[in-house]
Amino acid sequence: MVKKYPTVNCTRFTPNLVYLSGDLLKVRLPSSTRWLKRLQLFKQCRYSARVRNADRDGDRSTKTVYTSPYFDDVIQLNETDDYVVVECYDKFNHVISRSYIHRIRKKLATEAELRVSYEKHVGVHAPRETLSVMMVGIDGMSKQNLQRSMPKTRNFLLGPLKAIELHKYNKIGLNTFPNVVGLLMGKHEHEMNFSYSQPFDSLNDEFIWSEYRRAGYRTALTFDMTGITAFHYLKLGWKKSPVDYYFREMVIDSEPDTLMRNQYQRCLGEVPEVDVLNDYFIQLASIFNNSKTEPYFAYSFAARLTHDDLNQASAGDELYYNFFNTLAEREVLNNTVLVFFSDHGERFGAIRSTYNGMIEGRTPHLLLVFPPWFHAKYPHLMDVLRINQQRLTSHFDVHATLRDLLYFKGETGPGNITHRGISLFREIPRLRTCRHMGVSEENCVCNHLSPHAKVDPNLAQFLAMTLVNRVMDYTNQYRKNCSALTLKSIETVMTISTPENSNERYQLTITTEPGSALYEGVVEMTQLKKADVIGDVTRLNMYKGQAECIQNAFLRQFCYCHSES
């Protein structure tokens, strides 16, 4: 089931003819014979400065605010041009190359505002240290798959960078959204009191990046896809930019570009998209490389590499290693806490259908890198962090740690087992359970499962039908759109034993028709021999093309649309 892919190689695709050098755009014609004939017809280029179209739909479209004169060698960017699209033409005025270029620069008005906020934060809270925070996320990457697919990156973090890796890190919810809500807000999704028919602007103050900004930190946010993100999949994103530096326009403009994108869309011209995304953070960290005077909080999440195939992570191993190595060589990590994380483990595919895959689905990877001097100055904190590597943790704890860093006192002690989120600078209690963390049983990795349980066939059939009926209940309001489901087969039945529950519980995997949907759920048998599904049901295989007739992101996995819908 495990495959290894070569590193993403974009050299055979349309070359980027323009690059950024300081504030200058320079034309660079490649010498490759592959492009020689076409480039002999090269005539000129020009750029358009573009911004998000907040007057229209914010995160879905852009608009041009300036178009430059033509140039064939070099041109200087206007002071306010942060993102430009450069088109180069041949002698027949055909576009032969298109470059998407982001420039991070200090914004004078923003810097003045942040300086006041930072001085107030230091004056009121007196943190012992001020450290920038860089969060680098990859979609659907379990701790185990990180070991398999990205060993060079992981070994570099654990070796030279002395990363702390959480070995018992448990996801909170099914897919990306509930997990990053826990990470960025310290809440469950149902606690948000928010309608997804509205943009996230009214909620933005509750995200951790806004708390950092109120303390005088520059904030940055990047995603690599327009629609498949936690905040854009059947959601509206933001109308107003949620942070100071928002990598969004380039994604909107470049995603449909068939000239510069290959069929897998992992290249942007001759550059891997992962490198484009990571270069944005290299720019940010290089410009604001003094956390004592210009701290920043940056959050990145990449989905395209791994979303559809977890094995593709191996194609990014070298790229991420180079990225982290560059940060280290530029001494960025002397001022920064690096958080390398995922939202959850694998949700689909052959591995997920195995017993090991079920465990991996619940255990995303997370590594923390602290500056070298931090290890020496705060050995007591590092000792606690190493203890917590082997304790049950979740996104809620990382959220608490991010808040602890903002108001850093350098103190440790025992964590309170009744708190859902405990800072990793506090010792996580050994007896902690998923119930203490607010993690539901179907998402908990601590259950004692019997993978070869001998369950009476009649009982198994009864449990499976209970699960089918629960799946049907999800889409009752969409019955005109969604087909009735029937049980096709029972794949697995496992008994669950936990010290906190005396009723009989079973974890089942079933297949339903039509659509051959694979579902996993927990069914409890009460002492009165009644059966109930505990928590949410999980879809284990892809449902793209089956459920487009309904717009609810959560309920799509339970619907097989009528052919006429």
Side-chain angles (χ1 to χ4, degrees), residues 454-490:
K454 294 182 179 179
V455 178
D456 180 87
N458 292 328
L459 175 59
Q461 188 75 14
F462 177 61
L463 297 171
M465 288 308 302
T466 302
L467 191 57
V468 171
N469 291 334
R470 179 68 186 97
V471 172
M472 288 281 287
D473 288 344
Y474 280 115
T475 56
N476 275 340
Q477 61 181 310
Y478 298 102
R479 193 54 52 216
K480 289 192 297 184
N481 304 96
C482 302
S483 301
L485 302 179
T486 60
L487 178 66
K488 179 182 180 182
S489 59
I490 302 173

Side-chain angles (χ1 to χ4, degrees), residues 5-23:
Y5 290 91
T7 301
V8 177
N9 186 342
C10 304
T11 56
R12 66 187 184 277
F13 298 113
T14 305
N16 304 90
L17 300 186
V18 175
Y19 68 99
L20 181 66
S21 176
D23 292 331

Side-chain angles (χ1 to χ4, degrees), residues 301 403 511 522 550:
F301 198 80
R403 298 195 77 250
T511 301
V522 176
I550 63 174

Side-chain angles (χ1 to χ4, degrees), residues 102-107 111 132-135 217-222 243-246 277-290 294-300 323 327 330 332 336:
H102 255 296
R103 174 186 61 161
I104 291 183
R105 61 179 177 85
K106 292 184 179 181
K107 305 172 184 178
E111 289 299 305
S132 294
V133 176
M134 180 183 293
M135 304 188 68
Y217 286 62
R218 293 121 202 92
T219 52
L221 181 60
T222 75
V243 291
D244 299 308
Y245 298 94
Y246 188 25
L277 199 69
N278 290 339
D279 178 70
Y280 192 72
F281 273 12
I282 292 173
Q283 280 192 59
L284 180 84
S286 299
I287 291 173
F288 301 110
N289 196 10
N290 188 337
E294 298 175 326
Y296 64 82
F297 179 95
Y299 176 91
S300 170
F323 170 52
L327 294 179
R330 296 194 181 189
V332 166
T336 304

Side-chain angles (χ1 to χ4, degrees), residues 124-140:
V124 172
H125 299 287
R128 288 186 62 182
E129 308 288 352
T130 302
L131 285 163
S132 294
V133 176
M134 180 183 293
M135 304 188 68
V136 179
I138 302 180
D139 183 66

Side-chain angles (χ1 to χ4, degrees), residues 248-260:
R248 185 65 183 171
E249 297 96 339
M250 181 184 291
V251 182
I252 297 169
D253 288 341
S254 69
E255 200 167 68
D257 186 350
T258 56
L259 174 65
M260 305 304 292

Side-chain angles (χ1 to χ4, degrees), residues 116-374:
V116 172
S117 298
Y118 179 65
E119 290 173 357
K120 180 180 178 181
H121 170 72
V122 171
V124 172
H125 299 287
R128 288 186 62 182
E129 308 288 352
T130 302
L131 285 163
S132 294
V133 176
M134 180 183 293
M135 304 188 68
V136 179
I138 302 180
D139 183 66
M141 178 76 81
S142 68
K143 178 175 77 76
Q144 297 84 347
N145 192 42
L146 182 73
Q147 289 180 275
R148 287 194 300 265
S149 298
M150 302 181 73
K152 188 170 185 178
T153 298
R154 179 173 176 268
N155 290 340
F156 179 69
L157 294 173
L158 292 176
L161 299 189
K162 298 181 179 180
I164 296 294
E165 182 178 37
L166 300 186
H167 298 302
K168 297 181 180 180
Y169 194 58
N170 202 118
K171 74 174 186 177
I172 293 172
L174 172 64
N175 54 18
T176 302
F177 190 69
N179 288 294
V180 299
V181 165
L183 183 66
L184 297 172
M185 300 179 73
K187 293 183 177 183
H188 280 298
E189 179 180 0
H190 66 266
E191 296 170 336
M192 292 173 61
N193 190 28
F194 180 72
S195 170
Y196 302 131
S197 62
Q198 300 295 321
F200 284 94
D201 296 54
S202 62
L203 203 65
N204 197 56
D205 281 349
E206 297 185 36
F207 288 101
I208 189 69
W209 56 66
S210 293
E211 187 167 357
Y212 271 79
R213 194 187 192 283
R214 288 191 289 272
Y217 286 62
R218 293 121 202 92
T219 52
L221 181 60
T222 75
F223 302 109
D224 65 340
M225 299 182 75
T226 55
I228 307 299
T229 86
F231 305 102
H232 300 93
Y233 179 62
L234 300 182
K235 304 179 186 74
L236 299 180
W238 289 266
K239 290 200 72 174
K240 181 183 176 183
S241 178
V243 291
D244 299 308
Y245 298 94
Y246 188 25
F247 184 95
R248 185 65 183 171
E249 297 96 339
M250 181 184 291
V251 182
I252 297 169
D253 288 341
S254 69
E255 200 167 68
D257 186 350
T258 56
L259 174 65
M260 305 304 292
R261 291 274 192 182
N262 68 317
Q263 59 176 328
Y264 299 108
Q265 296 213 350
R266 295 195 178 100
C267 295
L268 191 52
E270 56 191 351
V271 181
E273 185 180 44
V274 167
D275 285 350
V276 175
L277 199 69
N278 290 339
D279 178 70
Y280 192 72
F281 273 12
I282 292 173
Q283 280 192 59
L284 180 84
S286 299
I287 291 173
F288 301 110
N289 196 10
N290 188 337
S291 60
K292 305 296 183 185
T293 57
E294 298 175 326
Y296 64 82
F297 179 95
Y299 176 91
S300 170
F301 198 80
R304 201 184 311 274
L305 185 67
T306 55
H307 185 269
D308 292 342
D309 181 1
L310 62 93
N311 285 312
Q312 288 285 350
S314 57
D317 189 17
E318 187 75 22
L319 305 180
Y320 277 95
Y321 163 76
N322 290 337
F323 170 52
F324 293 134
N325 190 42
T326 299
L327 294 179
E329 287 179 346
R330 296 194 181 189
E331 299 186 343
V332 166
L333 299 180
N334 286 342
N335 303 289
T336 304
V337 175
L338 172 66
V339 185
F340 185 41
F341 73 99
S342 189
D343 47 355
H344 50 74
E346 47 263 34
R347 289 183 56 212
F348 308 110
I351 290 178
R352 179 58 183 87
S353 299
T354 67
Y355 180 81
N356 278 20
M358 177 196 67
I359 301 299
E360 292 192 21
R362 302 174 184 181
T363 53
H365 82 269
L366 188 132
L367 296 95
L368 295 148
V369 175
F370 292 88
W373 59 263
F374 190 93

